[in-house]
C-alpha cells in the first residue's frame, strides 16, 4: 500500500478505527483536497488517509474540528500527531560542501513555519521537535531529501516525545563548522 | 368529524410530494460533495453523519457503534444521534419512507414486483408483524455490537447500511473521483433479493439502522404530539374483503389495525391514505395523539 | 477545482525525471565529455556566476561559478534553469495575427513576420509621426539588446518613447542616486557584506529576493556574532528572523523613521561633522543650498515621540536604531522594492543616503548605501545605457542639449536628430496606448499584461495598439495581445552581458544553439529596424560583440567608464566591476575614493570625490515625510502589499516551467495575520476575498504571523490571479515608479 499519514488529531490507530464511521466529512471540509478514503482491510470501511507524497496536509485543522466522533480530535495544529519528518543531510543541498545550492522550500512551505522547520543561522533548514509530520516538506522538497514517518509506525519512545534527531547523521551545524574552516573571500 | 391533521387539504397527491422529497434527498447528497468541490463547505457528509452549517445529524446506530467501540461519547455524537431519534419519536420512522434513498429503490422494486405478479401480500397478525422483524434486527445489531466489544472494534454494522453505501458512492465519485465498487454490487444484490423474495424484506427484517429509529418511533407514540396515520372506522366504507389500503402498503402493514405494533413500523408514507382518498376519508394523517 | 489524484501523480513522476537534469553532479554521462560554458544566472539582481554543462550540443546541467562573487553557490531557481530551456512552452516559430486582435496566431516565416511588423511601424510613423511608436524593454534584456534598441529608437526612428520595466522597479533608486550623488549606481560592492559591522536592511526581503546575498549576510553574522542586523519591514519575513532588531511599522511611514534617525544622530552628536562638512552640501526640497543648521531645524519635528506616533515604532527603538546605525564602525544599508516602489520612492532613497553621508558611513569597505537591484540587468542594460525615456547613454539626459549633441556626434547622425522632449515613461506609455497616441509598440523580454499596476486600466491599451513582441514562452500573459510574436533565443542560447547590483558586468557565453527557429534578439532588432526604414549605417553590427565594443567605446571618458572590459577579457574573467578604464585595470571596489576609483585623480586633494556632481560633493536633501497614496481607511481597512516568493521569478513564465518550483508554489495565496484570521474565522486554505477600489479577487488563505495585523500580502507570480488588477497606478513624481507596495483593501471570507 502507498505510504500514508492519518489526518491530524488521531490519538492512536486503534482508537481511530473504533471511532471512524466513514462519514466523509473530513474529506468534504478539507481545503486542500488532501484526504483520500480507502479501506483499511479487505472488507473494512473506508477511512481517511493523507497520501502526503501526492497531496500533503497543510494543517487547516478543519477536519479535526468537524469529525463527529472524535476519531480526529479537535486539537491545535501543534498537537496534530501525524508523524515525524526527517531530513537526510547527505541529500539536502544546503548541507553540501561543494556546488552548494540554497534551497529553503521546506522551510517556506512548512505550515508551522519558523517553529517546526527553522533556518539555523538564518540559512540552513532544520527540522525541530515541534514537527507534527504533516508531509508538506517531503512533498515540496525538490531533492526528495525528507521522509515522513507516520505516527503509527514510530517506536513507542518517539510517541512519548523522546524523538531522535530530526536531521540524520549530524546535528544542525553550518557546513564550514563541519570542516572547521572559516570561508574566505573569492577571486580577489 | 374534525380532522386535526398536520397538513392542510392536500391538493397534490402525497405520493408525488413524497417522491419529490425522496429524489430531492438523494440529489442533495450528490450536491453536497459537488459544492465541496467548489469550496462551499457549509454542508458536508453522507447518511452516516452529516453537518448542515453547524447542525450535526447522524445515524444513531453509527454513533452507538463508535461509543461502544471507543468507550466514550462526544457532544456531537449525542446531538447528531439525538436529533435524529427525536425526529423519529415525533414523526415515526418517517426517514425510511421519506428520506432514505434505499427506501426509494426498495419501493420501486416492490412496484415492479407487484406489476409482474399482481397484488400480493397479506397482513399478518399484529404481534408477528412487529415482533418478528424487531427480533431479527435486534439480534443482528446485538451480534454486531458484541463483535465490536470483544474482537473487532470497528463500526462493522455500517457495512450493512444501504443509505450509507449509496451516499458514500456519490461522495467517492465526486470528491475523490473514484468508484466505490462494493456499493455497485452490494446494493443491487440486496435489491435483487428483495425482488425475488418480496415484501421489502431488507427494510422490514434486516436493516440494522432502522432498529433504533423504530424503537424511538415506538417510544414516541407516548408523546402528546406524534405524526401518525389516523384510521376512523366509522368513516370506512370498504368491506372487509376490499383490501385497497392493505395492498397499497409496501411494508405489508394493515392500516385498519392501528395498534402500536403496526404504528411502530409505519413509516408515514401515506400510500394507504392516498388509496383511501378515492374511497372515502377513513385514513388520514394526524399529529396529535388524540383523535 | 482541485486536481485529481492522477494529475498529482503525473506531476510527481515528471519532477523526478527533471530533477536529474537540473542538478549538479547528476550529469547524464561522464564528466569528461561535458563542456562547461561560463555565464550568469538568468534570474535576480544578485548576478550569480554559473557554469552551464553542455553535452552533444545540449545543456544538461548547471553549477555555480566558483570564480564569481557567489563562489559556486546558487539558489534553487538558478539550479533549475536547465529544464526551462527545453520546455515545450517555448515559442519556436514566428507568428502573426493576420486579422487583428482576437484572431488566431498563425505560424509564418521570419520574412513575413518581420515585414508585417515593419510595414506597420513604417506606416504608423509616416502617418502619425515617430512619437506614435515606442519600445518597451526590460531589465532582463542583455546589455547589447538594450543599447541597440535605445539607439534604434532614439536615433533611428527618432522618438524618445523608449522605456522599460526598470521604470517599475529601480527608477526610484536611479532618482535617489542621481539627485544625491549626481550620477547613478552604487559605490560599494558585495565585499561590503564581508566587512560590515552593522546591516541596515529596509524594504527588502533579502532572504527571498536575493537568497545568495542573504546567506552571505547570515554567515557574516554567524561567524561574527557582534555584527548587528537591523531589519525594517512591516512583514516578519525570513530576513527579519536573523535580525537583532526588527522594526515593523505602519506601511508607508518609513520616511518618518529615516528622518527620525537623522534627528537622533544629530541630537546625540553622532554625525561625522568632518565628513559632511567636507563632502556634502545641504539642499532644500526646491534645490536651494542650505546649511547644517537649517537641516537641524528641518529635522526638529522628527522627534522619536513624533516618529512613534506616525510609524508605530516605539520612541525607544527609534533612538536605538539610530545609535546602532551611527555608532557601528561600518554600516551597510541594503534596500529594494519596499523603498523603491513608492509614491515617494526617490525621497526614501535620498533619506537613506542622507544617513550615510551624515555619519560618514560611506567610501569604506563595509560602509555604503547599497541598493539591491531586482532584475539581473537593470543596471548594466537599462540604467547605464540610458534606455529610459528621459535618458541617454552613460549618464546623459535628453533634456541637456550638450548631451544630445554628444550622442548625435558619436552615433554619426545629424545634430537635432534626437528629440529634445522626453518620451513616455512606462505607465504613461501604456496610457498613451489606451488613448491611441501611441499606436505601435515593440515589447522585449517583459510581461506588461501581468506586471503593470492597475491592470484593468491599461489592458485596453494592449488591446488597441499594434504589438510586436520578442518572447520565449507562450505562457506569458502579454502574448495574448501580441500582433507579431517573434521567437527569441533564450539566455545561454546567445551571448551577452549582464550588469548586476554591484556594478559587475559578467558575460554569458553562448552555450547552445537557439532552439527551433528562434533567433538572438540583437539580430531580430536589426533586421526589423532595417525593414522599418532605419538607416543601416546606424546599426552595422555583425553580432552582440560588435555592439558591446561600440558601447564600451562610448563609455570611455564618462563616469560609467568600462572601456577596459573587452569581450576577450570578459570571456576570461568571471565578471569585472566598473569603472574599468583600461584593459589592465582590475575593476573598482570603492567608487568615488581616491586610490580605489580610477576616475578620481591620484592627486585629488580630497580622499572622497563625488565627481557625479559639478562641485564634487554629495547632496543631503531635505525630504519631509509624506504618507502613501492610498493608506488604509474606514472603508478599506487593510493594507495590501505584494512581492515575490523565493521559488518563482516575477511572472513565473520561466520558473513555472519547472515542476519542483511549481509544486512548491502552485498558485497565489493571501497571507493573513493569525489575529485577523481568528476574528474572521479564516483557516489555512479558506477562500478569502480582497476587494480594493479597483477590483476584487479571491485567494486561498495562508495564516501566518509574517504580516502584522492589518496588513495582507499576496504574491504576484500567478497568471491566474493577476493581483495587479487590485493595485493603483500612482507614481513617484520624480522617478515615475508606481507604488506597488501599498494600497487599501477590504478582506473578508468568501461565503
Amino acid at each position: 500500500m502507498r505510504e500514508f499519514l492519518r489526518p491530524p488529531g488521531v490519538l492512536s490507530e486503534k482508537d481511530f478505527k473504533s471511532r471512524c464511521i466513514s462519514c466523509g466529512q473530513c474529506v468534504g471540509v478539507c481545503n486542500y483536497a488532501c484526504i483520500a478514503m480507502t479501506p483499511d482491510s479487505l472488507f473494512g470501511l473506508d477511512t481517511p488517509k493523507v497520501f502526503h507524497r501526492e497531496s500533503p496536509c497543510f494543517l487547516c485543522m478543519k477536519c479535526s474540528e468537524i469529525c463527529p466522533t472524535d476519531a480526529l480530535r479537535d486539537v491545535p495544529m501543534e498537537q496534530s500527531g501525524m508523524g515525524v519528518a526527517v531530513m537526510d543531510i547527505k541529500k539536502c543541498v544546503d548541507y553540501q560542501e561543494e556546488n552548494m545550492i540554497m534551497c529553503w522550500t521546506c522551510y517556506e512551505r512548512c505550515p508551522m513555519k519558523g517553529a517546526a522547520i527553522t533556518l539555523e543561522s538564518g540559512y540552513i533548514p532544520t527540522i525541530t521537535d515541534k514537527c507534527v509530520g504533516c508531509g508538506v516538506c517531503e512533498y515540496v522538497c525538490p531533492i526528495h531529501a525528507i521522509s515522513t514517518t507516520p505516527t503509527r509506525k514510530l517506536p513507542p519512545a518517539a510517541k512519548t516525545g523522546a524523538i531522535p534527531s530530526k536531521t540524520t547523521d549530524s546535528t544542525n551545524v553550518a557546513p564550514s563548522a563541519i570542516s572547521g574552516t572559516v570561508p574566505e573571500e573569492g577571486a580577489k | 368529524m374534525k380532522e386535526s391533521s398536520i397538513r392542510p387539504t392536500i391538493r397534490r397527491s402525497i405520493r408525488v410530494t413524497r417522491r419529490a422529497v425522496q429524489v430531492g434527498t438523494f440529489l442533495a447528497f450528490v450536491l453536497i460533495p459537488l459544492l465541496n468541490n467548489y469550496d462551499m463547505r457549509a454542508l458536508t457528509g453522507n447518511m452516516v453523519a452529516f453537518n448542515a452549517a453547524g447542525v450535526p445529524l447522524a445515524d444513531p446506530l453509527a454513533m452507538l457503534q463508535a461509543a461502544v467501540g471507543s468507550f466514550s461519547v462526544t457532544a456531537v455524537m449525542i446531538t447528531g444521534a439525538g436529533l435524529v431519534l427525536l425526529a423519529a419519536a415525533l414523526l415515526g420512522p418517517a426517514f425510511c419512507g421519506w428520506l432514505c434513498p434505499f427506501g426509494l429503490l426498495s419501493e420501486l422494486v416492490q412496484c415492479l414486483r407487484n406489476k409482474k405478479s399482481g397484488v400480493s401480500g397479506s397482513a399478518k397478525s399484529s404481534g408477528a408483524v412487529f415482533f418478528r422483524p424487531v427480533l431479527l434486527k435486534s439480534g443482528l445489531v446485538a451480534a454486531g455490537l458484541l463483535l465490536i466489544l470483544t474482537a473487532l472494534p470497528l463500526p462493522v454494522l455500517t457495512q450493512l447500511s444501504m443509505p450509507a453505501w449509496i451516499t458514500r458512492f456519490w461522495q467517492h465519485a465526486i470528491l475523490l473521483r473514484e468508484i466505490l465498487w462494493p456499493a455497485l454490487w452490494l446494493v443491487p444484490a440486496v435489491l435483487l433479493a428483495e425482488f425475488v423474495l418480496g415484501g421489502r424484506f431488507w427494510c422490514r427484517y434486516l436493516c440494522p439502522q432502522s432498529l433504533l429509529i423504530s424503537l424511538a418511533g415506538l417510544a414516541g407514540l407516548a408523546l402528546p404530539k406524534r405524526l401518525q396515520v389516523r384510521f376512523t372506522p366509522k368513516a370506512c366504507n370498504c368491506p372487509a374483503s376490499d383490501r385497497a389500503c392493505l395492498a397499497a402498503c409496501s411494508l405489508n402493514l394493515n392500516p385498519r389495525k392501528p395498534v402500536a405494533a403496526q404504528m411502530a413500523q409505519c413509516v408515514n408514507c401515506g400510500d394507504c391514505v392516498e388509496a383511501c382518498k378515492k374511497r372515502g376519508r377513513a385514513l388520514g394523517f394526524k399529529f396529535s395523539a388524540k383523535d | 477545482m482541485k486536481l485529481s489524484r492522477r494529475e498529482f501523480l503525473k506531476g510527481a513522476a515528471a519532477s523526478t525525471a527533471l530533477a536529474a537534469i537540473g542538478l549538479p553532479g547528476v550529469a547524464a554521462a561522464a564528466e569528461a565529455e561535458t563542456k562547461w560554458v561560463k555565464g550568469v544566472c538568468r534570474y535576480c539582481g544578485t548576478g550569480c556566476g554559473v557554469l552551464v554543462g553542455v553535452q552533444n550540443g545540449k545543456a544538461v546541467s548547471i553549477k555555480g561559478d566558483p570564480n564569481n562573487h557567489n563562489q559556486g553557490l546558487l539558489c534553487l531557481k538558478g539550479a533549475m534553469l536547465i529544464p526551462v530551456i527545453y520546455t515545450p512552452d517555448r515559442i519556436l516559430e514566428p507568428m502573426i495575427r493576420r486579422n487583428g486582435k482576437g484572431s488566431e496566431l498563425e505560424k509564418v516565416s521570419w520574412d513575413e513576420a518581420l515585414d508585417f511588423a515593419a510595414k506597420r511601424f513604417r506606416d504608423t510613423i509616416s502617418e502619425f509621426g515617430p512619437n506614435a511608436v515606442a519600445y518597451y524593454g526590460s531589465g532582463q534584456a542583455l546589455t547589447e539588446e538594450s543599447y541597440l534598441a535605445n539607439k534604434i529608437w532614439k536615433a533611428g526612428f527618432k522618438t524618445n518613447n523608449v522605456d522599460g520595466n526598470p521604470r517599475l522597479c529601480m527608477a526610484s533608486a536611479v532618482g535617489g542616486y542621481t539627485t544625491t550623488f549626481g550620477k547613478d549606481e552604487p559605490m560599494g560592492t558585495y565585499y561590503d557584506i564581508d566587512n560590515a559591522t552593522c546591516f541596515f536592511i529596509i524594504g527588502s526581503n533579502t532572504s527571498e529576493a536575493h537568497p545568495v546575498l542573504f546567506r552571505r549576510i547570515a554567515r557574516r553574522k554567524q561567524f561574527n556574532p557582534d555584527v548587528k542586523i537591523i531589519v525594517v519591514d512591516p512583514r516578519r519575513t525570513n530576513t527579519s528572523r536573523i535580525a537583532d532588531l526588527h522594526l515593523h511599522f505602519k506601511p508607508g511611514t518609513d520616511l518618518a523613521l529615516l528622518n527620525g534617525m537623522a534627528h537622533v544622530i544629530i541630537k546625540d552628536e553622532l554625525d561625522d561633522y568632518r565628513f559632511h562638512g567636507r563632502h556634502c552640501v545641504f539642499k532644500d526640497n526646491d534645490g536651494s543650498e542650505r546649511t547644517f543648521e537649517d537641516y537641524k531645524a528641518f529635522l526638529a519635528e522628527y522627534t522619536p515621540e513624533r516618529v512613534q506616533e506616525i510609524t508605530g515604532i516605539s520612541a525607544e527603538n527609534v533612538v536605538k536604531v539610530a545609535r546602532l546605525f551611527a555608532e557601528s564602525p561600518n554600516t551597510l544599508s541594503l534596500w529594494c522594492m519596499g523603498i523603491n516602489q513608492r509614491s515617494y520612492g526617490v525621497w526614501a532613497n535620498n533619506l537613506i543616503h542622507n544617513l550615510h553621508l551624515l555619519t560618514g558611513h560611506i567610501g569604506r569597505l563595509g560602509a555604503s548605501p547599497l541598493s539591491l537591484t531586482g532584475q539581473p540587468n537593470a543596471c548594466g542594460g537599462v540604467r547605464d545605457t540610458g534606455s529610459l525615456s528621459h535618458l541617454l547613454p552613460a549618464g546623459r539626459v535628453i533634456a541637456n542639449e550638450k548631451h544630445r549633441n554628444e550622442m548625435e556626434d558619436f552615433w554619426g547622425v545629424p545634430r537635432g536628430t534626437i528629440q529634445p522632449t522626453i518620451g513616455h515613461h512606462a505607465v504613461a506609455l501604456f496610457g498613451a496606448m489606451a488613448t491611441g497616441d501611441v499606436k505601435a509598440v515593440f515589447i522585449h523580454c517583459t510581461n506588461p499584461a501581468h506586471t503593470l499596476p492597475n491592470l484593468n486600466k491599461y489592458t485596453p491599451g494592449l488591446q488597441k495598439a499594434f504589438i510586436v513582441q520578442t518572447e520565449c514562452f507562450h505562457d506569458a500573459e502579454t502574448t495574448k495581445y501580441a500582433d507579431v510574436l517573434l521567437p527569441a533565443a533564450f539566455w545561454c542560447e546567445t551571448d551577452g552581458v549582464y550588469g548586476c547590483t554591484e556594478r559587475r558586468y559578467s558575460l554569458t557565453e553562448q552555450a547552445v544553439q537557439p532552439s527551433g527557429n528562434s533567433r538572438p534578439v540583437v539580430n531580430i532588432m536589426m533586421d526589423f529596424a532595417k525593414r522599418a526604414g532605419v538607416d543601416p549605417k546606424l546599426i552595422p553590427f555583425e553580432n552582440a560583440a560588435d555592439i558591446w565594443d561600440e558601447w564600451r567605446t562610448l563609455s570611455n571618458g564618462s563616469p560609467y567608464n568600462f572601456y577596459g572590459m573587452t569581450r576577450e577579457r570578459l570571456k576570461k574573467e568571471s565578471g569585472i566591476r566598473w569603472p574599468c578604464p583600461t584593459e589592465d585595470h582590475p575593476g573598482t571596489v570603492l567608487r568615488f575614493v581616491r586610490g580605489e576609483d580610477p576616475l578620481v585623480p591620484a592627486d585629488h586633494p580630497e580622499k572622497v570625490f563625488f565627481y557625479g556632481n559639478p562641485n564634487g560633493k554629495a547632496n543631503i536633501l531635505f525630504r519631509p515625510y509624506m504618507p502613501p497614496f492610498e493608506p488604509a481607511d474606514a472603508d478599506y481597512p487593510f493594507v495590501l502589499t505584494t512581492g515575490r516568493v523565493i521559488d518563482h521569478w516575477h511572472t513565473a513564465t520561466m520558473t513555472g516551467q519547472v515542476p519542483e518550483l511549481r509544486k512548491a508554489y502552485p498558485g497565489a495565496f493571501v497571507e493573513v495575520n493569525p489575529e485577523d484570521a481568528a476574528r474572521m474565522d479564516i483557516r489555512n486554505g479558506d477562500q478569502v476575498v480582497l476587494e480594493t477600489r479597483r477590483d476584487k479577487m479571491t485567494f486561498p488563505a495562508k495564516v501566518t504571523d509574517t504580516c502584522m495585523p492589518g496588513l495582507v500580502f499576496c504574491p504576484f507570480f500567478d497568471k491566474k490571479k493577476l493581483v495587479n488588477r487590485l493595485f493603483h497606478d500612482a507614481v513617484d513624481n520624480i522617478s515615475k515608479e508606481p507604488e506597488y507596495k501599498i494600497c487599501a483593501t477590504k478582506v473578508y471570507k468568501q461565503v
Side-chain angles (χ1 to χ4, degrees), chain C residues 240-482:
Chain C
S240 66
R241 290 181 207 253
I242 62 165
D244 293 284
L245 185 61
H246 171 225
L247 301 175
H248 51 83
F249 57 94
K250 201 159 141 223
T253 58
D254 39 6
L255 283 88
L257 170 69
L258 295 167
N259 271 331
M261 285 168 69
H263 172 107
V264 172
I265 288 170
I266 293 180
K267 183 145 178 260
D268 282 8
E269 294 177 15
L270 297 171
D271 56 305
D272 187 339
Y273 210 84
R274 235 176 18 165
F275 185 89
H276 63 71
R278 259 191 161 132
H279 300 298
C280 300
V281 167
F282 292 89
K283 277 196 178 159
D284 209 325
N285 223 359
D286 58 14
S288 23
E289 266 194 51
R290 297 272 177 251
T291 65
F292 177 66
E293 292 305 315
D294 293 326
Y295 186 49
K296 239 168 110 173
F298 164 77
L299 288 173
E301 61 163 311
Y302 296 98
T303 61
E305 291 70 30
R306 177 88 182 106
V307 173
Q308 177 174 333
E309 245 179 79
I310 299 173
T311 66
I313 301 172
S314 68
E316 192 190 318
N317 275 340
V318 174
V319 172
K320 191 167 172 193
V321 70
R323 288 196 182 141
L324 272 174
F325 187 104
E327 289 175 331
S328 197
N330 295 309
T331 299
L332 176 68
S333 288
L334 298 165
W335 68 96
C336 202
M337 296 306 141
I339 290 280
N340 293 339
Q341 286 175 336
R342 300 278 299 283
S343 52
Y344 287 95
V346 174
W347 289 11
N349 271 266
N350 292 138
L351 291 178
I352 298 174
H353 296 314
N354 282 0
L355 290 174
H356 284 269
L357 293 168
L358 205 56
T359 55
H361 279 306
I362 194 164
R364 286 196 311 279
L365 266 186
S368 201
L370 184 62
S371 138
L372 293 170
T373 312
Q375 297 188 82
N377 202 21
C379 294
V382 175
R383 288 157 73 175
D384 302 345
T385 63
S387 303
L388 290 174
S389 57
H390 65 297
L391 295 178
L392 286 168
R396 298 179 175 87
V397 295
I398 299 254
N400 185 317
E401 190 181 350
K402 182 159 164 287
H403 292 173
R404 291 200 306 275
N405 292 340
E406 281 170 15
M407 288 317 306
E408 283 152 353
D409 293 345
F410 183 85
W411 281 339
V413 294
R415 292 273 176 100
T417 303
I418 301 176
Q419 278 200 48
T421 47
I422 63 176
H424 293 299
H425 60 84
V427 172
L429 174 61
F430 287 90
M433 284 159 69
T435 57
D437 289 331
V438 170
K439 297 181 167 26
V441 189
F442 191 106
I443 298 181
H444 170 50
C445 199
T446 180
N447 199 0
H450 191 137
T451 54
L452 287 170
N454 198 355
L455 263 179
N456 293 338
K457 186 169 162 189
Y458 296 106
T459 36
L462 289 162
Q463 193 64 21
K464 212 163 160 178
F466 182 84
I467 293 176
V468 180
Q469 190 183 2
T470 42
E471 176 56 65
C472 296
F473 305 97
H474 284 290
D475 199 37
E477 183 75 9
T478 311
T479 58
K480 286 196 185 116
Y481 303 93

Side-chain angles (χ1 to χ4, degrees), chain A residues 14-15 17-25 27-33 35-38 40-41 43-46 62 66-70 73, chain B residues 36 39 41 44-46 48-51 57 62-63 65-67 69-70 72 74 76-77 153-155 158-159 165 168 171-172 175-176 178 180:
Chain A
K14 182 161 180 276
D15 177 78
K17 287 200 179 122
S18 73
R19 291 171 184 260
C20 175
I21 48 167
S22 206
C23 69
Q25 288 189 66
V27 183
V29 88
C30 174
N31 280 333
Y32 296 91
I35 303 185
M37 302 271 280
T38 63
D40 289 329
S41 53
F43 294 109
L45 273 182
D46 290 6
K62 291 172 76 167
I66 202 125
C67 177
T69 54
D70 263 7
R73 277 180 171 63
Chain B
N36 292 161
D39 295 312
R41 304 184 201 281
T44 52
N46 56 29
V48 182
F50 84 98
N51 194 298
L57 287 165
M63 296 295 119
Q65 293 176 81
S70 67
S72 69
T74 68
V76 176
M77 283 161 79
L154 314 168
T158 307
Q159 298 278 42
W165 280 114
R168 279 167 60 208
Q171 253 186 344
H172 278 249
L175 272 179
L176 301 168
E178 283 166 2
L180 189 64

Side-chain angles (χ1 to χ4, degrees), chain A residues 62-82:
Chain A
K62 291 172 76 167
C63 55
S64 39
E65 253 194 4
I66 202 125
C67 177
T69 54
D70 263 7
L72 305 175
R73 277 180 171 63
D74 188 6
V75 290
M77 61 161 71
E78 295 80 18
Q79 294 169 35
S80 297
M82 294 164 75

Side-chain angles (χ1 to χ4, degrees), chain B:
Chain B
M1 206 163 333
K2 193 172 150 210
E3 202 183 285
S4 57
S5 71
I6 192 171
R7 289 178 187 73
T9 335
I10 303 164
R11 288 198 177 80
R12 222 187 338 254
S13 89
I14 304 173
R15 170 67 72 89
V16 168
T17 313
R18 188 166 68 87
R19 283 282 178 257
V21 174
Q22 282 176 314
V23 171
T25 307
F26 173 83
L27 289 176
F29 282 91
V30 175
L31 191 66
I32 290 178
L34 211 57
L35 288 175
N36 292 161
N37 262 358
Y38 287 95
D39 295 312
M40 288 176 261
R41 304 184 201 281
L43 303 167
T44 52
N46 56 29
M47 274 185 167
V48 182
F50 84 98
N51 194 298
V55 178
L57 287 165
D59 166 17
L61 183 62
M63 296 295 119
L64 182 60
Q65 293 176 81
V68 166
S70 67
F71 295 118
S72 69
V73 280
T74 68
V76 176
M77 283 161 79
I78 296 176
T79 316
L83 286 172
V84 170
L85 291 171
L86 183 65
L90 287 170
L91 304 172
F95 171 83
C96 305
W98 287 76
L99 301 176
C100 180
F102 183 79
L104 171 63
L105 294 171
S106 169
E107 281 183 60
L108 294 176
V109 160
Q110 180 77 326
C111 285
L112 262 171
R113 196 170 187 279
N114 286 349
K115 283 215 181 86
K116 186 168 159 277
S117 59
V119 173
S120 69
S122 50
K124 304 285 191 278
S125 73
S126 51
V129 162
F130 179 67
F131 286 117
R132 212 191 307 162
V134 95
L135 275 174
L136 213 50
K137 287 178 188 174
S138 303
L140 192 54
V141 169
L145 291 174
L146 194 64
L147 187 61
I148 293 173
L149 207 57
T150 57
L152 200 61
L154 314 168
V156 289
L157 291 167
T158 307
Q159 298 278 42
L160 296 176
S161 167
M162 294 300 126
W165 280 114
I166 294 171
T167 50
R168 279 167 60 208
F169 175 83
W170 290 106
Q171 253 186 344
H172 278 249
I174 294 172
L175 272 179
L176 301 168
R177 320 268 182 102
E178 283 166 2
I179 304 287
L180 189 64
W181 292 108
L184 278 184
W185 61 258
L186 186 61
V187 176
V190 173
L191 287 169
L192 185 64
E194 283 206 328
F195 183 76
V196 167
L197 298 173
R200 294 184 60 195
F201 84 94
W202 177 269
C203 295
R204 292 192 69 204
Y205 289 97
L206 287 178
C207 170
Q209 279 66 34
S210 60
L211 176 69
L212 295 177
I213 291 182
S214 25
L215 289 175
L218 182 64
L221 288 170
L223 292 173
K225 296 284 184 199
R226 201 320 197 151
L227 179 71
Q228 49 193 292
V229 171
R230 162 203 42 80
F231 176 61
T232 316
K234 278 187 261 170
C236 178
N237 301 324
C238 297
S241 56
D242 181 350
R243 303 196 266 176
C245 57
L246 223 71
C249 179
S250 64
L251 292 172
N252 277 357
L253 303 173
N254 186 350
R256 294 192 287 191
K257 287 224 173 88
V259 295
Q262 301 255 49
M263 292 294 100
Q265 282 205 74
C266 167
V267 299
N268 288 324
C269 73
D271 283 0
C272 60
V273 174
E274 192 115 335
C276 179
K277 253 199 301 184
K278 300 180 191 128
R279 289 166 169 74
R281 283 189 181 273
L283 286 171
F285 276 115
K286 63 172 179 175
F287 192 47
S288 136
K290 298 195 287 266
D291 257 321

Side-chain angles (χ1 to χ4, degrees), chain C residues 44 65 144 187 326 355 383 453 460 538 629 665:
Chain C
C44 80
D65 182 348
E144 295 88 335
M187 52 227 61
L355 290 174
R383 288 157 73 175
L538 198 62
F629 180 75
Y665 287 96

Side-chain angles (χ1 to χ4, degrees), chain C residues 23-80:
Chain C
L23 296 177
V26 197
E31 280 274 336
E33 291 168 28
T34 310
K35 184 175 85 149
W36 293 99
V37 178
K38 195 154 43 83
V40 186
C41 177
R42 177 61 181 73
Y43 297 126
C44 80
T46 307
C48 296
V50 302
L51 293 168
V52 178
V54 180
Q55 281 179 10
N56 298 324
K58 207 165 143 96
V60 293
S61 66
I62 185 171
K63 57 187 183 191
D65 182 348
N67 296 322
N68 209 317
H69 66 79
N70 52 311
Q71 297 175 56
L73 183 64
L74 290 179
C75 82
L76 192 66
K77 298 186 298 297
M80 300 204 148

Side-chain angles (χ1 to χ4, degrees), chain C residues 110-112 114-115 118 122 526-533:
Chain C
W110 270 104
D111 279 324
E112 189 174 352
L114 289 169
D115 282 334
R122 268 199 330 268
M526 285 195 283
D527 203 345
F528 164 78
K530 286 176 202 159
R531 293 178 202 232

